[in-house]
Amino acid sequence: MAIKVFRTKPFVLDGDTLMSWENGQPIYYRIRWIDTPEMKKAADFVKTPYDESQWKWGEIAKSYLIDYVQSAHCIVYVEKGLDIYGRTLIDLYRNFKRIDNNYQRLISAAGLSAAYLPFPQNIDLSPREEITIYCQIIRRQYEARIKNRGIWGDPDFILPWEWRRLQK
């Protein structure tokens, strides 16, 4: 897939979702292989003991992505197909496409996201770069967990997909 650059800085919806406009139409981008805590919506109210923790970390993850985008000269991305909601799956980079600029790796190191486990089904094993990115995400998440960084140090936090399941 081709390396692309956002023409203008994208709008941050939450810690793992961006939006930009093209030809007057919104395009939604989902940063792949990570799941950040959920954001509180206007109609939400506390239903479980984990809600406030989830929302607090959701705001922090969103701020992390805003800072990442705003501090860049340009935002580089690589399209990786579509998710089940029609959003474009991407790998995200600041300024240059290099592993040390990869957003998924950085937010994992900050302890503000959880990697999808087991090994994601949408990975192409042929390019070495794919495995490198995913392994970096897992490694940085592990380091954040053992250091109790971010969500991993909060005893009231549960993984975003577990929290969403409880909301049903």
Side-chain angles (χ1 to χ4, degrees):
M1 302 255 172
I3 299 170
K4 298 184 176 184
V5 177
F6 284 105
R7 291 184 185 148
T8 60
K9 292 200 176 173
F11 181 74
V12 174
L13 298 175
D14 60 28
D16 55 27
T17 312
L18 300 166
M19 186 196 70
S20 71
W21 292 88
E22 192 171 303
N23 300 325
Q25 298 295 317
I27 300 181
Y28 296 91
Y29 298 89
R30 175 68 168 77
I31 302 166
R32 72 176 180 156
W33 297 339
I34 59 168
D35 198 6
T36 59
E38 295 297 318
M39 304 276 299
K40 184 176 184 180
K41 295 170 182 58
D44 285 342
F45 59 93
V46 175
K47 293 186 244 178
T48 74
Y50 309 105
D51 293 346
E52 290 180 3
S53 178
Q54 187 74 208
W55 298 329
K56 173 186 84 170
W57 289 109
E59 288 292 332
I60 294 169
K62 179 180 180 180
S63 294
Y64 189 91
L65 182 51
I66 289 170
D67 291 345
Y68 181 88
V69 167
Q70 294 303 319
S71 67
H73 295 293
C74 66
I75 299 296
V76 177
Y77 65 99
V78 180
E79 290 184 357
K80 297 294 184 172
L82 299 175
D83 71 4
I84 61 171
Y85 303 106
R87 299 174 296 188
T88 303
L89 289 169
I90 61 171
D91 291 335
L92 193 67
Y93 301 88
R94 178 175 43 208
N95 302 328
F96 304 98
K97 184 182 175 284
R98 292 192 325 228
I99 191 69
D100 59 329
N101 291 340
N102 177 264
Y103 175 74
Q104 295 104 297
R105 176 184 176 272
L106 295 171
I107 196 164
S108 295
L112 297 175
S113 71
Y116 283 112
L117 296 170
F119 206 65
Q121 294 177 350
N122 64 336
I123 191 168
D124 178 1
L125 297 176
S126 54
R128 183 175 179 186
E129 175 181 291
E130 296 280 307
I131 295 179
T132 301
I133 292 170
Y134 189 71
C135 289
Q136 286 283 321
I137 292 167
I138 298 299
R139 180 179 182 161
R140 297 302 181 246
Q141 177 177 300
Y142 172 75
E143 291 168 356
R145 283 183 85 161
I146 62 174
K147 293 179 180 174
N148 290 321
R149 212 177 288 142
I151 62 177
W152 307 110
D154 184 344
D156 295 325
F157 185 80
I158 61 173
L159 294 170
W161 53 84
E162 292 175 1
W163 183 82
R164 286 190 297 271
R165 184 179 48 79
L166 290 175
Q167 300 304 302
K168 294 180 181 180

